[in-house]
Amino acid sequence: MAKVKAEYVCSACGTVSPKWAGKCSGCGEWNTFVEEVSVPASARRAGVPDFPSSKPVRLSEVSEAAAVRISAGIAEFDRVMGGGVVSASATLLGGDPGIGKSTVLLQAARGLASRGKNVLYVSGEESEAQVKLRASRLGISEDGIYLMSETSLERILAAASELSPAAMIVDSIQTVFSADLQGAPGSVGQVRECAARLVFFGKKAGISVFLVGHVTKEGAIAGPRVLEHIVDTVLYFEGEKGHPYRILKAVKNRFGSTNEIGVFEMRSEGLVEVADPSGMFLSERPEDSSGVVVFPAIEGTRPLLVEIQALVSHSYLAMPRRTTLGVDFNRVILLCAILERKANVALHNQDVFVNVAGGIRIDEPAVDLALCLSLAGSFRDRAIPPGTAAFGEVGLGGEVRAVPMAEMRLNEAAKMGLGRVLLPASNAERLGGKYPLELVPVRHIKEALGR
């Protein structure tokens, strides 16, 4: 029997230590080290089918077969993936329970099977009959989809080696275990090793591997962070509870743009693509409400109009509250200080609440001007004129700075029927074409509030 060696792994960041420690030296968390029993490499690869040894090859001689993509038949899914499913790639999909991870992958399997590709769907949480019931509800009956209810890694690899599918879906990686390792399924060592073997097998056999990962209470994929490093693409499925819309976001993609998003609506027949997300997010915006501003965001390569909402009210607390949803908390605190110092908007004794409607999260600094206008509008109880959008970065001196991709933002605003856009003056000076919009260039936040 192969000799085993015990070590300790941090369940939060994956840091390895030869002995147990109360505090992790990598991430600083307490009581996160879990004992893991490792085995020699020869034993770890015992369950992986044999492949020819890799040899160095010239860069000019390497085939570009990996550049060939297969459409999953879902335009929003293909967009997030970078144009389709890449052969021999590894994708990790995370999200809250019941958000639609299994549904979207089953629909993607239908798209691949309809193009003559075999797909192996391995479920460690449901039986074949349960998966069949969901497939029937979604109207999926393609012969190219093979179901397997199994949690043993060795049996999964043996079945995949015999079938040689174009894609393999493992739902979920936390249920898979290897007999070579001690520990229950879902433990740090099992999750990391099983994922590594599945990815290794997919790369060698030319199979696109999709791994479904559960998330923790903090929203991160359960298991060490190394799970996100060994795959090519990391997707997160997000959505508000009780809200029909779902957002598929790529946070890592070796074959395409990061921060790309796809928008879906959950219906009884499954996930349906939303072809016009800007119209969806703006469909219920109030016309004469203070503190509401439209912001033309850029998500990956897609322009998207979202609604920035702010509510400012007098505080009766010693320390006024600051609450944000969809935007960076520290950014809002910074903009409140800029408004008070540079624009005479006294927010020091006001409760401030900021929200991005629709569940979208905005990370780019171009939202600064829209945030300032919504905060000041709510404070003064003055509504922004209907059909107005704003974008621009605000510096500590109150100056409004240029942002990238201004043309795409303006085209999307014009497409959605808006009539007026506040933008940085330096951006307005560089615009070459004409737009069916009233462009209002501003250089300082005080000037923008006066418009």
Side-chain angles (χ1 to χ4, degrees), residues 5-10 13-19 24-26 33-34 36 38 188 192 226:
K5 181 179 68 173
E7 58 186 14
Y8 294 87
V9 181
C10 175
C13 67
T15 300
V16 179
S17 173
K19 61 181 181 178
C24 176
S25 60
F33 277 104
V34 179
E36 176 182 333
S38 61
V188 175
R192 183 174 62 175
V226 72

Side-chain angles (χ1 to χ4, degrees), residues 184-222:
S187 61
V188 175
Q190 288 283 5
V191 170
R192 183 174 62 175
E193 185 64 22
C194 290
R197 291 196 205 179
L198 287 167
V199 171
F200 174 81
F201 172 77
K203 299 286 186 185
K204 290 296 183 180
I207 299 174
S208 300
V209 178
F210 291 88
L211 306 177
V212 177
H214 296 309
V215 298
T216 61
K217 291 184 294 184
E218 291 76 21
I221 295 179

